[in-house]
């Protein structure tokens, strides 16, 4: 899921988000983000920033 999110958002800093840094408790949150990203064809800059912020929050949790 993480690789698909990074590809879809064309994240330049995709290396900052690694599946190994997420634990099982965060799966539902990650799945919600994945479903939202997979359902859209394009994103505004503010949407990308919000998604990236949320992914960063998951990584730090």
């Amino acid at each position: 899921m993480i690789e698909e999110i990074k590809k879809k958002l064309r994240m330049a800093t995709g290396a900052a988000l690694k599946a190994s840094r997420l634990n099982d408790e965060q799966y539902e949150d990650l799945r919600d983000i994945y479903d939202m990203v997979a359902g859209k064809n394009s994103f505004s800059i503010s949407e990308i920033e919000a998604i990236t912020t949320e992914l960063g929050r998951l990584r730090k949790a």
Side-chain angles (χ1 to χ4, degrees):
M1 281 190 290
I2 292 173
E3 292 304 315
E4 288 300 314
I5 292 170
K6 291 190 304 189
K7 185 178 3 173
K8 188 100 177 199
L9 296 179
R10 296 182 197 103
M11 291 177 66
T13 59
L17 182 63
K18 296 182 181 181
S20 62
R21 295 189 181 207
L22 300 173
N23 62 43
D24 293 339
E25 296 170 1
Q26 298 162 315
Y27 177 81
E28 289 298 322
D29 292 334
L30 179 60
R31 183 65 192 201
D32 290 342
I33 294 170
Y34 172 79
D35 289 342
M36 190 265 305
V37 168
K40 292 189 73 167
N41 291 325
S42 62
F43 301 89
S44 69
I45 293 173
S46 60
E47 287 174 315
I48 292 172
E49 288 175 354
I51 293 166
T52 304
T53 298
E54 185 63 17
L55 290 171
R57 186 191 64 75
L58 289 178
R59 186 172 63 120
K60 292 176 185 172

